[in-house]
Amino acid sequence: MMTLEISVTGRTLDAAAERDLAERVLAALTAAESAPDETMRRAREFTHVLIGQPRTWVTGGPDAETAPRYLVRLTVPQSWSNDRDFGRYIIPMITDAVAATEPDPGRLRREPHCVVQIVGLREHCVGTLGRSTTSTELTRLMTQDFRDSGQRPEAPEGCTIDPTCGMVVEWATAQFTVTHAGVDYAFCAPSCRKVFVEDHAVS
């Protein structure tokens, strides 16, 4: 579950421009080539993008009153944000999606005018279905359609398919693995591994 709150100043956005910005960011976060449609469709259901234009925003630097600025607050389960590669992967993706709505898409790579903050929520501090939900339960909800489909896509050479979400995982860089019934499995994230372990009673 991801929530992105994007505050914008120095640029007036009408409803259509706000929707375009929100949809670009949503598409960037939920359009992984290495994941099946079933998983991405459910991921979109658990991803929320909100756009706001504060009445007051005071900051410094050159062109502080005229150069558009963006503050993106991304809220995710803490177990996701604890992964050191998460920020390295997601911050450029968000920045480029925001930049694509500007006349000069390269500006936000040259000027520090898009700040992305990642906020991790402790277990049981996010919920749906009227109850608190752990990161593993969220992963289970997001991957249910893929797991129920029974599909097992073909993995490229040197890779395997995460049996929980269907993502392609390279064996050489796999951090999360388990052996079950004599077969080795690799996972894109610890929560995917945990779902598999729970479902297969792996010790």
Side-chain angles (χ1 to χ4, degrees):
M1 181 176 288
M2 291 190 283
T3 302
L4 292 97
E5 299 170 87
I6 305 176
S7 298
V8 184
T9 189
R11 175 183 175 194
T12 302
L13 301 177
D14 61 18
E18 284 189 348
R19 184 161 193 89
D20 178 55
L21 174 56
E23 288 181 347
R24 284 177 184 270
V25 172
L26 178 64
L29 294 174
T30 59
E33 292 180 6
S34 63
D37 291 340
E38 293 86 358
T39 299
M40 288 296 96
R41 189 166 47 248
R42 293 289 280 179
R44 282 188 284 278
E45 188 176 2
F46 286 93
T47 304
H48 308 278
V49 183
L50 295 80
I51 309 295
Q53 299 178 73
R55 288 191 315 171
T56 304
W57 184 328
V58 178
T59 187
D63 306 317
E65 300 300 318
T66 57
R69 307 290 177 101
Y70 306 87
L71 175 62
V72 182
R73 184 166 290 118
L74 170 63
T75 306
V76 296
Q78 194 169 54
S79 63
W80 299 7
S81 64
N82 283 344
D83 180 348
R84 65 177 181 225
D85 292 326
F86 183 78
R88 282 185 234 166
Y89 170 75
I90 208 113
I91 291 171
M93 183 184 295
I94 292 171
T95 303
D96 291 343
V98 171
T101 67
E102 289 215 324
D104 177 6
R107 183 178 78 86
L108 298 182
R109 290 285 190 151
R110 298 189 307 271
E111 301 172 3
H113 293 172
C114 180
V115 175
V116 180
Q117 300 174 341
I118 300 174
V119 180
L121 294 174
R122 292 181 310 177
E123 286 288 75
H124 305 288
C125 288
V126 64
T128 188
L129 305 174
R131 58 183 173 78
S132 67
T133 316
T134 67
S135 56
T136 303
E137 290 171 317
L138 289 171
T139 299
R140 189 178 294 283
L141 287 168
M142 286 191 288
T143 60
Q144 189 69 53
D145 290 350
F146 170 73
R147 289 181 293 114
D148 287 349
S149 73
Q151 293 184 36
R152 292 300 172 261
E154 192 70 28
E157 187 174 343
C159 299
T160 188
I161 300 297
D162 181 324
T164 300
C165 69
M167 290 279 284
V168 175
V169 181
E170 291 185 31
W171 278 115
T173 57
Q175 299 179 53
F176 314 105
T177 61
V178 71
T179 301
H180 173 62
V183 179
D184 293 330
Y185 296 92
F187 304 85
C188 68
S191 56
C192 280
R193 182 187 185 279
K194 191 170 182 182
V195 168
F196 181 89
V197 166
E198 289 178 358
D199 286 353
H200 295 82
V202 180
S203 58

